Amino acid sequence: METQTIKSTQKSTKKTERISGSEAIVRCLIEEGVDILYGYPGGAIMPVYDELYKYQDKIHHVLTRHEQGATHAAQGYARISGKVGVAMATSGPGATNLITGIADAQIDSTPMVCITGQVSSHLLGSDAFQETDIVGISTPVTKWNCQVTKAEDIPSVIAKAFYIAKSGRPGPVLVDITKDAQFNEFDFSYEKCTQVRSYNPIPLTDIIDVEAAAKLINTAKKPLIVWGQGVILGKAEEQLKAVVEKAGIPAAWTILGASAIPTSHPLNVGMVGMHGNYAPNILTNECDVLIAIGMRFDDRVTGSLDTYAKQAKVIHFEIDPAEIDKNVKTDVAVLGDAKTSLELLLPLLDKNSHKEWHQQFKDLYQIEFDKVIKNDLYPTKEGLTMAEVLKEINIQSEGKAAIVSDVGQHQMIACRYADFNVSKSNITSGGLGTMGFGLPAAIGAKMAAPEREVVSISGDGGYQMTIQELGTIFQQKAAVKIVVLNNDFLGMVRQWQQLFFDKRYASTEMINPDFVKIAEGYYIKARKVTKREELAEAVEEMMKSKEAYFLEVCVEKEDNVFPMIPSGASVSDIRLE
Amino acid sequence: MSIEDKQLFTVSVYTENNIGLLNRISAIFQRRHINIESLNTSPSEIEGVSKFTIVVNITEVNMKKIIGQIEKQVEVIKAYYHKLDEIIYQIAGLFKIKSELLFEERQIQNIIKESNARIVTVNKEFFVLEKSGKKEEIVTLYNQLSPFGIMQYTRSGLIAVTKEEMKISSLLEAIKNN
Ligand SMILES: Cc1ncc(C[n+]2csc(CCOP(=O)(O)OP(=O)(O)O)c2C)c(N)n1
Ligand SMILES: [Mg+2]
């Protein structure tokens, strides 16, 4: 009883101020440390935009050219900074336009808070103008969502939204706020959320599990680590490196895990999965202990599960208990965040070097080099390859650029050939494979990390899905380097048509516009390269540019990405041609 | 029964009271094309905590995965699954029947007596019969009555308590204290 009285007096002495719900929304964002948000105004969110106008010296709103662009920009912002990305939209079509980005953030575990305006509460359910049930629509693709109909609920709901978005396994949260809640006044005070009683973001790590893992690793003759984005989200890059180096374990990465350990590190054996490297895919089915760290055994990583690492004991370090045994049965599951778990693991590991086992990776790399990499990087044919462009970018950036790719062949080539020597450098749509992600995500990344070189790499198809964001780049003076690898095809689909549909190129050839003119129409410096002799110099010019720069590279039309694990095949059936 | 064989499970989900949660939980089953055999929501033994009782016919392997995905929802406190022999459960059936049959058909009175069904209400036009028990008992009663003509028939979702303790209170206590 007594404690309660103390609490209530504390509450009443806390400073409150009478403000509108819409002002409260902006104040909450500022309290959460939001400096930039992305969005698009409209009727049901106008009161908030009015407050954003008043608070523009404290918080910068970026007008994208489409709400989908706002979500991807918020994602890019989040992926490069580790902070929560924020997107805002009006009700109805504004809100539904957010859905693709939300779904992308959900499957790629990106912390994002979306705020949508909603019609006034007395109109809810009446099919009012621009009313959609966005809470209903977004439910399956959000980590959490909530509709607010009372101004006084705004601070606690937004606090909860940020807490849920960034804690544990991160994800997108949507808060839908009715117009009357934005207009009404109440006594504002803000308290950050530190706990939700039904929600346990980070399961406790059991030392017994860590010991069991260490024992397996110490007795392994052919251990293989496959790490994922959990290492980056859990800020465990150093811990992973220490484990890898001490136990001498070859370590491969999933697409979203890329860059946690530099490409140049001798124990980094490349990418797993459908277009990953030959050695780690083949040797997945030869290792004796497979150590998965912060990854979720996506089907693009595993290929057929029936033939995936059946010979190996599997250890799974994972923050999300629902991932354990979801796709691959584990022998030892270590719950918890990657940093804590790996810190506990490190002292229990024996020093080792696994020299012969390493040699197997090197031998297989040589095969991949001779059959694939050599032709990609040093082609003898006339047409330019996508990989050559990446090679030039690597040279100019010293492997320190953040590469923001779209979806398709160029994405796989970017992941395969970019040097990732700084963490959080591979920003791409992994789980959803969202074409149109790249350009807007690059805007968010550049604005969150202006000190970094940000290179957007798109195909001619996906680029045109969000090409209007060139307007945002121009208006914001975001110095994004924009590369389009133009093969005049929806290349990845064309590749499948070639390999699995007898070359029936149904609706994959594209008659493209003058991309240079379009960029110039947005007052962005632009150049087109068609010949090998011009490439190095053009890339250099782009990278040295202080402003945004557009570079179109016309590449060979019908090149394919190899190696490739055909869908449904085993990782050991990876094809080199 | 192997973990790869389909069988009936009851899922007990303890949750915060939240309007959208039913959607979230049913979507988890829907995505995997799992038919929900029955679903009941009610307050639980703990104030402010709701309980969903869901019955599904699936493999234990899938059941485990789904429990993980349910528990992952922010507003779910805890989810459990049980086989039918691990719970005490009841289902209710309601039968609306023409009143005249009660007096004209001798056999109906016998059926009512033998089945331990209860007459809830009687008026000039109809009477309502209630029977609680296992699903088979209610189905049997239905089969016995249906030749005479049933005006309306409804079966409730399954509700259950478990033989073992579920420890929700101590779980909530632990969360509060940490
Ligand atoms: C929104 C969306 N629609 C369709 C697809 C299917 N898809 C995957 S890759 C691809 C082709 C991409 O073409 P382009 O952007 O030119 O890249 P390229 O493969 O030629 O490098 C398509 C259509 C997708 N991933 N996303
Ligand atoms: Mg293309």
Side-chain angles (χ1 to χ4, degrees):
Chain A
M1 269 325 309
E2 238 172 303
T3 49
Q4 260 187 354
T5 357
I6 293 167
K7 258 190 196 153
S8 65
T9 45
Q10 273 179 347
K11 274 237 164 74
S12 61
T13 52
K14 208 165 57 201
K15 230 174 56 201
T16 64
E17 245 178 289
R18 205 160 174 79
I19 60 172
S20 68
S22 52
E23 183 174 357
I25 293 167
V26 177
R27 295 271 295 268
C28 292
L29 295 178
I30 294 169
E31 291 275 355
E32 287 294 338
V34 178
D35 52 352
I36 302 174
L37 77 163
Y38 302 87
Y40 212 102
I45 193 82
M46 281 186 65
V48 181
Y49 274 82
D50 196 41
E51 296 301 331
L52 284 168
Y53 183 84
K54 296 176 196 160
Y55 281 92
Q56 56 186 290
D57 56 329
K58 294 211 168 66
I59 185 165
H60 179 51
H61 176 272
V62 174
L63 174 68
T64 54
R65 296 304 185 261
H66 189 293
E67 289 88 352
Q68 183 185 345
T71 53
H72 295 328
Q75 289 179 276
Y77 175 96
R79 291 271 288 270
I80 205 166
S81 68
K83 295 200 288 185
V84 179
V86 181
M88 185 174 279
T90 191
S91 66
T96 56
N97 275 346
L98 299 175
I99 291 295
T100 302
I102 294 175
D104 195 288
Q106 169 84 343
I107 202 159
D108 280 352
S109 307
T110 306
M112 176 161 77
V113 169
C114 292
I115 293 175
T116 50
Q118 181 56 282
V119 301
S120 274
S121 56
H122 72 279
L123 292 171
L124 286 171
S126 72
D127 303 322
F129 178 65
Q130 294 194 330
E131 183 196 1
T132 53
D133 174 15
I134 197 61
V135 170
I137 293 171
S138 65
T139 291
V141 290
T142 46
K143 185 172 175 186
W144 184 69
N145 62 7
C146 185
Q147 185 174 68
V148 180
T149 55
K150 293 196 202 81
E152 56 269 30
D153 292 340
I154 287 171
S156 61
V157 170
I158 293 186
K160 195 171 162 185
F162 274 85
Y163 171 65
I164 291 170
K166 69 186 171 200
S167 56
R169 181 175 183 177
V173 169
L174 181 137
V175 180
D176 190 37
I177 305 174
T178 60
K179 206 166 176 182
D180 51 332
Q182 297 173 37
F183 275 130
N184 288 339
E185 294 197 338
F186 71 108
D187 294 325
F188 174 80
S189 70
Y190 197 76
E191 216 174 317
K192 280 202 181 177
C193 177
T194 53
Q195 192 191 56
V196 173
R197 78 165 178 177
S198 56
Y199 168 60
N200 178 22
I202 305 178
L204 279 182
T205 307
D206 192 335
I207 187 70
I208 293 177
D209 297 330
V210 182
E211 283 165 2
K215 205 168 148 198
L216 269 182
I217 296 170
N218 286 339
T219 51
K221 295 273 172 293
K222 300 172 165 189
L224 171 63
I225 285 176
V226 177
W227 87 81
Q229 193 190 200
V231 172
I232 295 173
L233 292 170
K235 304 185 176 72
E237 293 94 336
E238 285 311 313
Q239 286 72 14
L240 174 63
K241 198 163 138 239
V243 163
V244 166
E245 287 173 355
K246 183 173 181 192
I249 305 174
W253 38 276
T254 69
I255 281 186
L256 292 193
S259 80
I261 290 184
T263 305
S264 57
H265 193 285
L267 289 169
N268 181 339
V269 293
M271 175 165 99
V272 290
M274 185 172 265
H275 293 289
N277 291 106
Y278 193 56
N281 274 312
I282 291 275
L283 296 177
T284 294
N285 277 359
E286 275 182 43
C287 66
D288 56 0
V289 176
L290 180 66
I291 307 140
I293 305 173
M295 58 84 85
R296 61 188 177 87
F297 295 107
D298 178 79
D299 55 279
R300 282 294 193 267
V301 161
T302 62
S304 158
L305 284 173
D306 298 336
T307 51
Y308 182 78
K310 287 293 178 197
Q311 80 294 341
K313 294 257 188 262
V314 177
I315 303 172
H316 196 175
F317 288 85
E318 176 57 53
I319 197 167
D320 178 358
E323 293 296 347
I324 304 296
D325 292 342
K326 188 181 82 177
N327 296 332
V328 171
K329 187 96 188 75
T330 50
D331 296 278
V332 177
V334 183
L335 290 176
D337 83 319
K339 191 173 192 163
T340 311
S341 306
L342 295 178
E343 266 168 7
L344 290 170
L345 178 70
L346 184 66
L348 307 180
L349 293 179
D350 296 340
K351 274 210 169 106
N352 212 326
S353 61
H354 298 291
K355 280 236 163 60
E356 279 169 38
W357 174 230
H358 266 287
Q359 193 54 45
Q360 284 190 303
F361 285 86
K362 286 181 189 147
D363 295 346
L364 291 173
Y365 175 82
Q366 194 56 48
I367 295 174
E368 182 181 348
F369 184 87
D370 292 340
K371 291 245 167 170
V372 179
I373 299 173
K374 193 173 69 188
N375 301 325
D376 279 354
L377 288 178
Y378 313 100
T380 46
K381 62 184 178 192
E382 195 189 333
L384 283 164
T385 68
M386 293 182 176
E388 285 179 272
V389 183
L390 267 300
K391 185 180 70 186
E392 293 304 330
I393 292 171
N394 288 341
I395 293 169
Q396 292 298 328
S397 68
E398 293 165 3
K400 290 188 190 133
I403 304 292
V404 187
S405 55
D406 208 77
V407 172
Q409 290 184 315
H410 65 279
Q411 173 192 34
M412 293 300 121
I413 295 291
C415 293
R416 285 176 54 75
Y417 292 105
D419 285 343
F420 297 117
N421 288 332
V422 179
S423 185
K424 301 196 180 80
S425 287
N426 190 28
I427 297 170
T428 194
S429 168
L432 204 65
T434 306
M435 283 172 70
F437 173 89
L439 187 65
I443 300 173
K446 184 67 196 177
M447 295 184 82
E451 74 287 358
R452 292 201 62 185
E453 188 70 79
V454 174
V455 184
S456 154
I457 296 179
S458 300
D460 45 316
Y463 181 60
Q464 294 183 74
M465 282 204 175
T466 47
I467 192 169
Q468 67 276 15
E469 299 307 338
L470 289 174
T472 313
I473 290 175
F474 166 59
Q475 185 170 354
Q476 297 297 325
K477 302 189 169 60
V480 177
K481 307 299 162 62
I482 310 151
V483 178
V484 167
L485 300 179
N486 186 2
N487 52 10
D488 289 316
F489 266 109
L490 298 175
M492 186 55 92
V493 179
R494 189 210 53 74
Q495 174 170 348
W496 284 48
Q497 288 170 333
Q498 180 186 341
L499 298 175
F500 312 117
F501 293 89
D502 286 332
K503 285 198 172 188
R504 290 185 296 276
Y505 292 163
S507 294
T508 43
E509 188 164 11
M510 296 222 286
I511 311 264
N512 280 317
D514 185 334
F515 287 122
V516 166
K517 271 208 183 120
I518 291 177
E520 284 172 350
Y522 285 99
Y523 308 100
I524 294 169
K525 218 168 167 195
R527 180 167 174 183
K528 174 173 173 170
V529 167
T530 53
K531 292 196 189 73
R532 184 161 293 121
E533 306 84 79
E534 306 159 23
L535 180 65
E537 188 253 319
V539 170
E540 186 180 349
E541 181 178 308
M542 169 180 83
M543 298 298 275
K544 291 216 165 116
S545 167
K546 294 266 179 287
E547 300 154 15
Y549 189 106
F550 173 83
L551 178 65
E552 174 186 359
V553 183
C554 297
V555 296
E556 191 74 51
K557 283 187 170 199
E558 297 189 31
D559 271 355
N560 288 335
V561 185
F562 283 108
M564 177 178 193
I565 304 166
S567 65
S570 164
V571 285
S572 23
D573 294 333
I574 184 167
R575 289 168 56 172
L576 286 169
E577 55 198 350
Chain B
M1 190 147 333
S2 115
I3 52 168
E4 306 279 359
D5 289 329
K6 279 194 181 178
Q7 55 177 312
L8 285 178
F9 290 102
T10 43
V11 182
S12 308
V13 190
Y14 287 83
T15 72
E16 301 290 353
N17 293 309
N18 174 290
I19 320 174
L21 206 53
L22 177 58
N23 251 341
R24 277 191 185 273
I25 292 174
S26 66
I28 294 168
F29 293 96
Q30 188 198 338
R31 279 171 71 189
R32 291 177 181 261
H33 280 243
I34 292 164
N35 190 36
I36 292 180
E37 309 275 333
S38 95
L39 184 149
N40 186 82
T41 76
S42 71
S44 72
E45 62 275 19
I46 303 144
E47 211 186 301
V49 173
S50 303
K51 185 177 171 185
F52 291 66
T53 309
I54 303 166
V55 180
V56 283
N57 186 22
I58 52 175
T59 65
E60 191 161 3
V61 175
N62 272 343
M63 189 70 259
K64 283 187 179 160
K65 293 179 186 175
I66 284 172
I67 289 289
Q69 289 177 325
I70 292 175
E71 276 196 343
K72 185 166 152 172
Q73 303 304 321
V74 169
E75 265 139 353
V76 168
I77 297 164
K78 191 81 189 150
Y80 302 91
Y81 73 91
H82 292 95
K83 295 170 188 166
L84 291 191
D85 59 6
E86 295 168 330
I87 58 170
I88 316 287
Y89 70 92
Q90 290 278 288
I91 293 169
L94 287 182
F95 303 80
K96 179 176 159 185
I97 300 169
K98 277 205 181 100
S99 286
E100 53 195 61
L101 292 174
L102 192 56
F103 307 108
E104 285 163 16
E105 299 282 351
R106 213 182 187 129
Q107 237 186 304
I108 288 204
Q109 296 192 14
N110 287 339
I111 292 171
I112 296 172
K113 221 184 263 162
E114 275 161 30
S115 66
N116 274 328
R118 191 168 66 89
I119 296 178
V120 182
T121 182
V122 192
N123 64 33
K124 263 198 210 137
E125 282 126 54
F126 63 85
F127 70 100
V128 175
L129 207 54
E130 178 268 344
K131 162 78 192 150
S132 300
K134 305 260 177 294
K135 180 177 154 194
E136 303 75 51
E137 297 175 67
I138 294 154
V139 171
T140 306
L141 182 57
Y142 174 86
N143 289 339
Q144 288 171 329
L145 291 171
S146 99
F148 302 101
I150 298 170
M151 296 164 75
Q152 278 182 37
Y153 165 62
T154 291
R155 212 167 65 209
S156 77
L158 173 151
I159 54 172
V161 290
T162 56
K163 294 180 183 169
E164 56 147 36
E165 200 189 338
M166 293 225 237
K167 301 199 178 92
I168 293 295
S169 303
S170 51
L171 196 93
L172 288 177
E173 201 53 39
I175 296 171
K176 216 161 87 191
N177 294 336
N178 87 25

